[in-house]
Amino acid sequence: MSSAGAGLLGIVVGLALLPLVIATIGSGAYGLWLLVSAVSVYLQYADVGVGSAIVHFGSRSRAGVQGHTFSQYVSGGLMWNMLVATAVVPLFAVLAIFITSSNAGAAGVSSADANALALLATLMLACLLVSPFASALIGSGLLPVERRNQSIGIAVRCAGTLTACLVFDSIVWLAAAEVIAAITPHAAAVIALARRKLLKISFRHGAFSALRKMLRYSIRSFGVALVGATILQLGTVVVGSLMGPSDVTYYNAAFRVYTAARQLLTWIVDPFRSTLSRQFVEDPPRARRILTTLCAAAFGASALGAGVLVFGASDIVHLWLGASVPTATISLTMIVLLVGFVVNAIQIPLVPAGDALGRPGAFFLIQLTWLVAFAALVFPLVHGLGIVGAALALSAPLALIAPLYLWRARSVLELGADDWRASGIFAIFAIVSASAILAFVAAVIQFFAGLEPLSFYSTLTFAVSAVVFAIMLRNHLPTQRIRELLRAKL
């Protein structure tokens, strides 16, 4: 299965199962698991980006760059993650018990179940011990195999969630299913590498020196990744601390649409990490051509997809989650998040491009500015506007952050106006803008006609308008460059 196909499957499964989980498990109990597992996922960044370093140096070794062997890089990564897990996992176990026990009453969860959730979240964090193997698959050019493993994990999660909801009706069984699904791709990666005999793990001097080299690279890249992870998880934590477990579930419903769109885009962009790492060594002008085309395609796909969801938000949430949830609040939260996602989409490929160029951390200060602005806004906005405030705190700073990213890319990646013009970004922006204006007018007309303004009617207007304007501007779209992008060797 392709990278995007596996990502799409995971998105569909996650969104489709959420109404069943809310109906059978309950918004409070599920919200508690979401809260503690969000902290567990966040702490997996304790590897300080060594996984990305394995991908980077593994890809460069395939491009002929001399240095350590691929096995030494992976061995060094395993050694580092073992050390990190030894320190972080026990500390998190204590924190997880505190989180679950202090919120068990509000979530309607027994003490025994709360402790079980803490244990399962700790096991999820323990995936640090084997996570370098998935990076090793990507770095060795076997991304399709890694995505196949992800698809297996999605299937396990689907089967486990259905069993937990329909047979056991238990939040503990649901959490166990998600933990097993998280471990499955890593275990499959170990098996795939062992069968191909691509690695020889050895914790000797070569692994130590390879680790030092990777850490010099990954620590600079890690800052951007950690700040980004903090931005994505902070809203959930603040909503949980100021509001309650049920509100975490409602926020997560809207946020899940946002993260699904973001994850799908990331899965489209990630295969080009190794491509860019090689091309910046072999053919820098072609690397920049691939990058700007990738940015334009990312923005266009994100804007068109998000536009359909934004203009159909009310009907979509009502059909998806039913009338038992605060539909209007969830819809508005989703809209605010998706608008921010569209603004953010064009810059998402820039960070891995900086890593591929050998300039990890080049966008750190800009990312940190976003985090500081988000942290300053999120508490007062959540207190005043609830989950909509959390979405607004995340999205509003992007009006400043996105231009700063483009400005920084001009010097770091040497991307000028001619590069962007050739990428077709201006034609794509014109299509999206014109379609959005027409759909907004349709929504206003529906409102004055006494109809729901954000419904399938305005969605249809947006979609049809996008097709019409794309046909009108087809000569300005980067069709040939997108074909070149799709043919790029991983």
Side-chain angles (χ1 to χ4, degrees):
M1 177 176 291
S2 69
S3 168
L8 182 59
L9 175 63
I11 289 167
V12 170
V13 168
L15 296 178
L17 293 177
L18 183 59
L20 176 65
V21 172
I22 293 176
T24 57
I25 303 298
S27 60
Y30 188 52
L32 178 58
W33 168 245
L34 289 173
L35 182 61
V36 69
S37 63
V39 179
S40 175
V41 170
Y42 175 72
L43 288 177
Q44 290 181 20
Y45 284 85
D47 72 344
V48 301
V50 164
S52 296
I54 291 174
V55 174
H56 175 74
F57 288 108
S59 300
R60 291 208 160 198
S61 66
R62 288 193 293 125
V65 176
Q66 298 298 316
H68 297 85
T69 66
F70 187 58
S71 293
Q72 288 173 332
Y73 287 125
V74 179
S75 299
L78 281 171
M79 183 169 53
W80 174 256
N81 278 29
M82 288 177 184
L83 292 173
V84 169
T86 301
V88 173
V89 171
L91 294 176
F92 173 72
V94 176
L95 176 61
I97 292 173
F98 172 77
I99 292 173
T100 54
S101 60
S102 60
N103 289 280
V109 173
S110 68
S111 297
D113 284 353
N115 290 332
L117 292 179
L119 174 61
L120 288 167
T122 304
L123 289 176
M124 182 179 286
L125 178 59
C127 286
L128 275 171
L129 293 168
V130 289
S131 61
F133 289 109
S135 300
L137 278 178
I138 300 173
S140 59
L142 295 174
L143 179 68
V145 176
E146 198 275 337
R147 293 308 187 229
R148 181 205 64 190
N149 296 341
Q150 294 288 341
S151 300
I152 295 172
I154 291 167
V156 170
R157 181 184 180 189
C158 180
T161 300
L162 290 172
T163 302
C165 293
L166 300 178
V167 178
F168 296 102
D169 190 16
S170 166
I171 184 60
V172 174
W173 279 95
L174 175 65
E178 294 195 1
V179 171
I180 294 172
I183 295 173
T184 298
H186 299 295
V190 174
I191 295 172
L193 289 166
R195 284 179 176 176
R196 289 167 173 80
K197 299 180 180 179
L198 295 176
L199 294 175
K200 183 179 180 181
I201 303 301
S202 175
F203 301 132
R204 295 183 179 179
H205 176 71
F208 279 94
S209 58
L211 176 59
R212 286 196 298 269
K213 183 177 180 179
M214 287 194 297
L215 287 176
R216 286 194 296 269
Y217 170 91
S218 67
I219 287 176
R220 291 177 290 164
S221 176
F222 164 72
V224 178
L226 180 65
V227 170
T230 305
I231 291 169
L232 293 178
Q233 302 297 340
L234 183 59
T236 299
V237 174
V238 173
V239 169
S241 61
L242 295 184
M243 301 185 69
S246 292
D247 294 290
V248 171
T249 298
Y250 300 143
Y251 176 72
N252 179 261
F255 195 70
R256 185 167 292 193
V257 176
Y258 168 83
T259 52
R262 189 181 180 94
Q263 180 182 357
L264 182 56
L265 179 59
T266 301
W267 279 49
I268 293 172
V269 170
D270 271 354
F272 294 94
R273 280 181 176 269
S274 58
T275 300
L276 290 172
S277 290
R278 288 189 300 103
Q279 290 299 325
F280 274 121
V281 173
E282 299 172 351
D283 189 353
R286 185 167 188 263
R288 286 191 287 271
R289 188 165 65 248
I290 290 173
L291 174 59
T292 51
T293 306
L294 185 61
C295 288
F299 172 73
S302 302
L304 295 174
V308 169
L309 295 174
V310 165
F311 286 106
S314 297
D315 282 351
I316 290 171
V317 173
H318 181 76
L319 290 174
W320 175 32
L321 298 177
S324 62
V325 301
T327 303
T329 301
I330 294 174
S331 299
L332 183 55
T333 304
M334 186 177 80
I335 290 169
V336 174
L337 288 170
L338 287 174
V339 170
F341 167 67
V342 173
V343 176
N344 184 226
I346 194 172
Q347 71 198 47
I348 287 177
L350 298 178
V351 173
D355 294 348
L357 182 63
R359 295 285 302 277
F363 299 94
F364 173 73
L365 291 179
I366 301 174
Q367 195 84 337
L368 183 61
T369 301
W370 185 11
L371 174 59
V372 171
F374 180 34
L377 293 172
V378 67
F379 286 95
L381 286 178
V382 169
H383 182 75
L385 300 174
I387 63 174
V388 177
L392 188 60
L394 178 68
S395 299
L398 287 167
L400 170 66
I401 298 303
L404 288 177
Y405 256 92
L406 297 178
W407 170 79
R408 181 63 172 155
R410 182 177 181 179
S411 59
V412 173
L413 301 169
E414 300 180 5
L415 300 180
D418 291 340
D419 294 303
W420 290 114
R421 189 178 299 109
S423 73
I425 187 68
F426 299 115
I428 293 172
F429 182 78
I431 293 169
V432 172
S433 300
S435 302
I437 291 171
L438 288 177
F440 179 74
V441 171
V444 171
I445 293 172
Q446 290 169 218
F447 175 77
F448 283 109
L451 301 174
E452 181 64 51
L454 298 177
S455 65
F456 290 130
Y457 297 108
S458 51
T459 300
L460 183 62
T461 302
F462 178 82
V464 171
S465 301
V467 172
V468 171
F469 285 115
I471 294 173
M472 292 171 58
L473 296 174
R474 63 186 181 278
N475 293 332
H476 300 279
L477 295 174
T479 307
Q480 185 60 39
R481 292 181 62 157
I482 290 177
R483 290 196 189 100
E484 180 186 3
L485 187 69
L486 296 175
R487 290 195 299 266
K489 182 180 177 182
L490 299 181

